[in-house]
Amino acid sequence: MSAREQWLRAEAARTQGRIEDALAGYRDLLGAPEMAPYAHARLSELAQAAGDLQRGTAHVLAIDTGRLREPSLLALTARQCLALGEAQAGLAAVSALLEAPSAPAALLAETAKLLSDHMEPGTALAVLARAREAGLRESAGSAYLDGLNRTYLGALDAARASLERALALDAGFAPAYWSLAKLTIAEGRGMRVDALRRRVAALPDDHPDAPLLLYSLFHELDADDDRDAAWTALERAMRARRRQVRFSDAQDDALFARLAAGCMALADAPRRDDGAGAEPKPLMLVGMPRTGTTIIEQSICTGFRAASAGELRDFVQQMRWVANRAGPLHADIELLDAMDGDGLAMVGQRYRTHAAWRAGSEPAFIDKWPENYLVLGHALAAMDDLRAVVVFRDPMDACWSNLKEWFGGSYYYSYDMGEVARRHARFVRHVRMLRELHGGRIVAVDYEAFVGDHRGETARIGASLGLQARERPASGDAVVATASAAQVRKGVSSRSVGAWKRYARQLEPLRQALLDAGVDEDACA
């Protein structure tokens, strides 16, 4: 039987659900040079599906993308690499895909969306451009993808044009309404509000698009200072979105209890960090989402020699690789239970090798995934030279900033006043404990103090982290692939301080929930 025939037989077995037969067939093909890359790709997929992250990673990294020209295999390799936390190898596969002849337009468009989802806007736009050259027909989805990634890159006028084009192609394309609402454009707001009202009136609240359209309507009405109508839309949005997500307050409480016990044990445990002191130096910047983490990160990177690495999931991904335990890109009790001291040392080493390339020529890099506070104790134990910045914000403002945001696949506690209040209280208790355990390795920043004197606070933060000051401030054209992509371009401002007070009456249940969770009454005034 030829290698080609063996491949077709293994493919048929996989399609028919005969996985063991498929595995055997693919393994036999590893010795056939022309089919080995295809076999490695399938074996990687199947290992990942079975929860074997280590084997899945080994197979995908065995593919030499520099020698490949087959577009479908390169796209599959890129997808597998990104899913398994091998971002650098995944981007190398994308680079080869861009050079591959006759890459199908649909395949390129799919890869562009994958890159956007993994917060690689520049590369996403390059692949999308190739898809157009290959004959991709413009659609609401492609126009939206273009607009979203231009927003991440700060090209806001071009982003607006693409997002409006998406709605011209499909007046019901919900994500485009949301992205336009985030740009806070006064021009055309009345027409957008009318269109949104028609859309939400035509959909039941349990329709998949209903929450996103309602959040968009809230933001447009709020920007127009139509508070009563805005609040009505937001209440509906929160109820509808809460029904879509799965979140357990009891499980969240148990997670933080497990974290506290683990962090206290780790703080006293002996460890060896072979990478400590080497450049680039790892930094983490954490906090509740939408509490100023992005603007603070950008200020640090502007004034000091540190690269913005973006919102990385790398530390949790490496925890999962070492434990060989598949799961979500945040810590859970099962993952924490699977970690031990030796494993954690390996996590630290792998995190360095998987994230450090993002520093470029800078001597330090900042990993700004806000929810890294859940694994910060583990990260500090794994890397002796890791330093962290924890951002605190007025509790009411912090929770309000969460409640009015549509977060997609993250932060499922943020759609209910009581749940977000209790998560905020757990966050504060947890990071205060970490500061007691790790002292000067964690720099605390109050958002209100930062916006009151951002130059002085930035200087304090940089000095506390031991960063080198820049001779000249860096340019302000950084990639910001976060919910703050448009807002951060407006610069440091105190306009968001006390923003919750515009809805003080409606947010009284939130204030009471914070008090019930143990937050000081003066902090909720």
Side-chain angles (χ1 to χ4, degrees):
M1 185 187 305
S2 70
R4 179 65 179 171
E5 291 171 329
Q6 192 170 347
W7 166 259
L8 293 174
R9 179 172 291 189
E11 287 282 271
R14 180 180 64 88
T15 302
Q16 296 163 10
R18 295 184 288 111
I19 301 303
E20 290 303 319
D21 290 342
L23 288 170
Y26 293 134
R27 289 180 189 127
D28 286 345
L29 286 167
L30 294 178
E34 72 277 16
M35 297 306 299
Y38 296 88
H40 276 301
R42 284 289 187 247
L43 288 167
S44 176
E45 281 187 301
L46 292 171
Q48 182 194 11
D52 190 341
L53 304 181
Q54 295 179 0
R55 190 178 297 275
T57 302
H59 277 297
V60 78
L61 292 182
I63 301 171
D64 184 359
T65 56
R67 295 175 175 270
L68 296 182
R69 289 296 179 267
E70 168 54 44
S72 61
L73 179 56
L74 286 167
L76 173 58
T77 302
R79 187 182 74 211
Q80 280 300 105
C81 285
L82 290 170
L84 290 163
E86 299 292 337
Q88 198 170 13
L91 292 174
V94 172
S95 293
L97 176 62
L98 284 169
E99 297 175 2
S102 304
L107 183 71
L108 289 163
E110 179 183 320
T111 304
K113 185 181 184 307
L114 174 75
L115 290 161
S116 178
D117 292 343
H118 283 82
M119 300 180 183
E120 297 290 346
T123 311
L125 287 172
V127 176
L128 186 60
R130 272 295 308 276
R132 292 194 185 103
E133 292 171 4
L136 180 70
R137 293 182 61 184
E138 189 174 30
S139 65
S142 65
Y144 165 73
L145 189 64
D146 186 275
L148 177 66
N149 287 281
R150 291 189 189 281
T151 301
Y152 291 158
L153 293 172
L156 302 186
D157 290 340
R160 175 188 175 183
S162 291
L163 295 168
E164 289 177 342
R165 177 63 178 158
L167 291 178
L169 291 164
D170 180 357
F173 197 76
Y177 284 108
W178 173 244
S179 293
L180 280 168
K182 296 290 288 179
L183 292 178
T184 62
I185 304 163
E187 183 183 356
R189 180 173 292 136
M191 289 186 293
R192 293 194 300 273
V193 167
D194 289 344
L196 283 164
R197 280 177 163 154
R198 288 193 299 271
R199 292 287 160 191
V200 299
L203 295 178
D205 284 3
D206 61 357
H207 188 281
D209 286 343
L212 186 53
L213 291 168
L214 285 163
Y215 275 104
S216 304
L217 180 58
F218 161 76
H219 275 273
E220 297 284 14
L221 292 168
D222 179 60
D224 215 24
D225 206 30
D226 189 351
R227 300 184 199 181
D228 290 340
W231 182 260
T232 298
L234 182 60
E235 277 193 312
R236 284 184 62 191
M238 289 190 294
R239 285 196 302 269
R241 181 61 176 155
R242 182 62 184 87
R243 286 194 291 268
Q244 288 181 345
V245 302
R246 297 181 62 184
F247 175 77
S248 165
D249 227 347
Q251 290 178 5
D252 203 48
D253 200 39
L255 171 63
F256 276 83
R258 176 64 180 81
L259 280 170
C263 289
M264 286 188 284
L266 288 170
D268 296 327
R271 57 187 180 274
R272 185 186 78 251
D273 181 5
D274 294 336
E279 289 189 351
K281 180 179 180 179
L283 306 168
M284 286 185 175
L285 198 155
V286 305
M288 291 282 284
R290 307 293 291 137
T291 57
T293 54
T294 300
I295 195 69
I296 291 170
E297 176 215 36
Q298 293 298 307
S299 293
I300 295 170
C301 294
T302 297
F304 292 88
R305 291 199 60 202
S308 170
E311 295 191 344
L312 305 182
R313 306 328 194 254
D314 289 52
F315 195 84
V316 172
Q317 282 185 308
Q318 297 314 318
M319 288 178 72
R320 291 204 173 279
W321 188 93
V322 169
N324 209 19
R325 183 178 294 270
L329 293 179
H330 60 261
D332 53 31
I333 290 177
E334 293 73 21
L335 178 61
L336 298 175
D337 286 343
M339 296 304 305
D340 57 28
D342 291 339
L344 198 58
M346 184 180 294
V347 171
Q349 293 164 13
R350 287 183 60 84
Y351 174 81
R352 289 180 190 278
T353 60
H354 283 75
W357 65 275
R358 297 182 183 272
S361 61
E362 300 291 5
F365 66 92
I366 300 178
D367 177 349
K368 196 206 73 69
W369 175 233
E371 214 168 49
N372 267 337
Y373 64 77
L374 291 173
V375 292
L376 183 55
H378 292 73
L380 288 163
M383 295 176 283
D384 289 339
D385 58 343
L386 175 69
R387 298 294 181 268
V389 177
V390 176
V391 179
F392 295 93
R393 189 176 178 183
D394 170 87
M396 288 292 290
D397 272 336
C399 292
W400 171 234
S401 70
N402 280 230
L403 288 169
K404 63 181 180 178
E405 189 76 24
W406 184 83
F407 283 114
S410 303
Y411 313 127
Y412 286 169
Y413 57 81
S414 66
Y415 305 109
D416 176 90
M417 290 195 209
E419 289 170 349
V420 75
R422 289 185 286 276
R423 167 53 81 98
H424 182 272
R426 291 174 189 131
F427 157 74
V428 171
R429 287 194 296 270
H430 182 65
V431 295
R432 283 178 176 168
M433 177 199 69
L434 291 176
R435 291 180 66 199
E436 291 175 1
L437 291 173
H438 296 283
R441 296 180 68 189
I442 299 177
V443 180
V445 181
D446 289 319
Y447 175 74
E448 291 77 14
F450 177 83
V451 298
D453 178 17
H454 75 273
R455 289 185 177 84
E457 278 293 285
T458 301
R460 179 185 70 85
I461 297 165
S464 298
L465 295 173
L467 296 177
Q468 304 172 31
R470 294 188 186 277
E471 294 182 6
R472 297 179 181 176
S475 65
D477 57 355
V479 174
V480 182
T482 76
S484 303
Q487 184 180 357
V488 75
R489 310 292 176 182
K490 299 175 182 178
V492 179
S493 169
S494 61
R495 59 184 170 269
S496 296
V497 175
W500 71 272
K501 294 179 182 178
R502 299 177 69 242
Y503 295 91
R505 175 177 57 82
Q506 296 93 334
L507 290 172
E508 178 58 24
L510 171 62
R511 192 183 74 85
Q512 190 57 55
L514 283 166
L515 295 176
D516 293 344
V519 177
D520 186 83
E521 186 168 5
D522 291 340
C524 300

